[in-house]
Every structure is written in C-alpha cells, then in structure tokens.
C-alpha cells in the first residue's frame, strides 16, 4: 500500500481526530476505560500534591527567582514577580503534563499494553509480542522515561526564561510550549503500539518526524485535554487507544517496516 499523500494542515486535523477516535473507542468499551483509570489515578495523586504545593508557595518562589528586582519600585517589582510566578507555574505545568504521561505509561504498562492489544484486535488483529526479555523491556522503559524527563526539564527552563518576555511570554510562548509538548506526547502515546512492532525509541521518533503534523495534531489535542482538571486521568485510556490507532493506520505504514498479516507490520532487520 503506497503512503497516502496529504497536506500538513489536513494531517494536523487528522491527528486531532485520532484522539477523539480513541476516546470514542473507550466509550464503547467502558470496562477498558475503567481499567485504564487505575494507574492514572495513582500517579495523579502525587502530581496534584506537587502542583498544589507549588501554587501555595508561588509568591515566595516568585520573589526567590527575581532577586534582581529587590531594588526596583514596588509596582515594577510586583509586576516582575507576578510574571515570574506565571512563567514558573506554566513551565511546571508543561513539565507535569509531559512527564505525567510517561510516568503513567511506565507505572501502568501492563494496563495500557492490554488496552492497546484490545484496540488492535478490534481493528483486525494485534501483532505478536516482540521476543524481548521482560527485564530489557523494563530497562528500556525506565531509560526512555528518564531521558524524556531530562528533555522536559530543559524545555521547561527555556519556556520559564522566555515567559519573562512582555506579551510574547504570555501569548506566543504558551502556544509553542503546547506544540512541543504535543510532539513528545504523541511519541509517548504511540510508543505502546510501536514497541510491539519492534521499534525502539530512536526509530519511533524517526517515524514521528516523518509525520510531524499528524503527531503534533494528535499530541497537542491530548495536551489541551490533559490541562482540564482530571482530564489527564479521564482521557488517558482514550489517548492510548488513539495513539494505537494512529500508530497502526499511519505511522507503521512507511519504508522502515514491511507488511505483515492482520495490520501488523514488522520492523525490517
């Protein structure tokens, strides 16, 4: 089957559509949705406590990161600290949303693997599980999560610094942060299905790079939903289902893989 041609704009909206298709799938399979809530709820407790603590101490933290404003006039000093607080909380929220998905997928790996298999089976058949020892799979997952966390910290610091820019820091920067977060979220949410096809992190990102608009559309839509209170918990099973559909129908059909039966392409050796 030749790769379908599409414009970046169409792919962007198609990516958004995959999120809603995944959420729709969980609505039709409520038992799988409830099953997928368990790890998300566990991780949410820790993240919510951290964000609440951050918000509670935001004034003090805003003062702590703006020592250069101590000698300014009161109005200028207060403005600088408010902007610092907004930038700090925004960067922390970016970091939380991005790593929440990675940590939840790591903690709930058996849960989301089962959901991904059910999605594949509902579409014609799941690929066989790769012949990789469980210890190797766990080590890879931990390594990928740590690496993603390091990348998220770097971007969070960058967006925090850019948040001090007047107007741009409160308008353009949050949009760019959402797009960047969406790209990485797409990599995480499609990872379950692509790992089952024998693709490691570097290969998964190579695929996503070739379908950047599709991934950004899907991941940014997930990012927006995850910002809604409890959205990350409620939508996580659907996001995994949508990522599985996206991986199966679009990402896995490319020169890096060869066709297999039942919609289960395998990585070329």
């Amino acid at each position: 089957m030749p790769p379908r041609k599409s414009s970046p704009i169409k792919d962007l909206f198609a990516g958004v559509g995959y999120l809603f298709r995944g959420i729709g799938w969980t609505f039709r399979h409520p038992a799988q949705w409830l099953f997928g809530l368990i790890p998300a709820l566990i991780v949410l407790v820790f993240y919510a406590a951290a964000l609440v603590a951050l918000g509670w101490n935001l004034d003090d933290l805003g003062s702590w990161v703006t020592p250069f404003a101590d000698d300014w006039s009161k109005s200028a000093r207060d403005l600088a600290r408010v902007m610092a607080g907004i930038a700090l909380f925004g960067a922390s929220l970016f970091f939380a949303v991005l790593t929440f998905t990675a940590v939840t997928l790591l903690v709930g790996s058996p849960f989301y693997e089962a959901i991904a298999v059910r999605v594949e089976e509902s579409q014609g058949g799941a690929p066989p599980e790769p012949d990789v020892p469980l210890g190797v799979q766990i080590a890879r997952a931990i390594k990928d999560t740590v690496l993603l966390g390091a990348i998220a910290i770097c971007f969070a610091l960058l967006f925090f610094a850019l948040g001090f820019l007047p107007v741009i820091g409160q308008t353009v920067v949050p949009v760019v942060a959402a797009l960047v977060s969406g790209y990485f979220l797409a990599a995480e949410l499609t990872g379950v299905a692509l790992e089952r096809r024998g693709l490691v992190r570097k290969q998964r990102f190579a695929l996503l790079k070739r379908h950047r608009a599709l991934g950004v559309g899907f991941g940014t839509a997930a990012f927006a939903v995850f910002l809604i209170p409890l959205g990350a918990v409620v939508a996580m099973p659907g996001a995994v289902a949508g990522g599985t559909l996206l991986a199966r129908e679009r990402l896995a059909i490319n020169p890096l893989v060869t066709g297999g039966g039942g919609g289960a392409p395998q990585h070329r050796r």
Side-chain angles (χ1 to χ4, degrees):
M1 177 180 176
R4 65 180 73 180
K5 295 182 179 180
S6 182
S7 69
I9 297 299
K10 287 183 178 180
D11 280 348
L12 194 70
F13 284 101
V16 175
Y18 273 104
L19 175 65
F20 289 101
R21 282 183 60 191
I23 292 174
W25 187 91
T26 57
F27 281 169
R28 296 190 300 273
H29 301 80
Q32 295 298 311
W33 175 68
L34 291 172
F35 183 64
L37 291 182
I38 298 172
L41 284 170
I42 293 172
V43 177
L44 175 68
V45 171
F46 294 97
Y47 273 75
L51 286 175
V52 168
L54 176 66
W56 187 264
N57 295 283
L58 205 54
D59 289 342
D60 293 337
L61 290 172
S63 300
W64 179 67
V65 298
T66 56
F68 53 84
D70 289 345
D71 297 329
W72 293 4
S73 65
K74 185 178 185 304
S75 58
R77 183 173 62 247
D78 290 345
L79 178 61
R81 288 174 177 173
V82 168
M83 291 177 61
I86 293 173
L88 181 60
F89 194 81
S92 299
L93 193 60
F94 165 85
F95 176 80
V97 171
L98 192 58
T99 58
F100 175 87
T101 302
V103 173
T104 302
L105 291 175
L106 178 62
V107 172
S109 178
F111 295 81
Y112 298 120
E113 175 70 24
I115 290 175
V117 170
R118 287 294 303 274
V119 172
E120 298 256 27
E121 290 175 345
S122 72
Q123 300 300 306
E129 188 173 352
D131 186 19
V132 179
L134 179 60
V136 174
Q137 294 183 42
I138 294 174
R140 282 180 181 173
I142 293 174
K143 179 182 177 181
D144 289 349
T145 301
V146 171
L147 180 61
L148 180 66
I151 293 173
I153 289 174
C154 293
F155 274 111
L157 291 173
L158 174 63
F159 293 138
F160 170 69
L162 294 176
F164 284 98
L165 296 176
V167 183
I168 294 177
Q170 294 75 49
T171 54
V172 177
V173 173
V175 173
V176 174
L179 295 175
V180 172
S181 181
Y183 183 76
F184 285 102
L185 278 179
E188 290 300 304
L189 293 168
T190 58
V192 177
L194 292 177
E195 282 181 9
R196 195 173 184 87
R197 288 167 167 79
L199 301 178
V200 296
R201 175 180 48 80
K202 185 176 181 180
Q203 295 161 336
R204 297 198 303 270
F205 271 98
L207 285 179
L208 200 60
K209 184 178 180 180
R210 296 182 181 185
H211 301 272
R212 185 179 287 111
L214 194 65
V216 168
F218 171 69
T220 303
F223 180 82
V225 172
F226 286 4
L227 289 179
I228 301 171
L230 296 180
V233 175
V234 174
M236 180 62 76
V240 172
T244 301
L245 292 171
L246 173 58
R248 177 187 179 90
E249 296 177 2
R250 299 294 295 272
L251 299 185
I253 304 173
N254 64 87
L256 288 182
V257 294
T258 57
Q266 300 295 318
H267 177 57
R268 179 177 295 162
R269 295 183 183 277

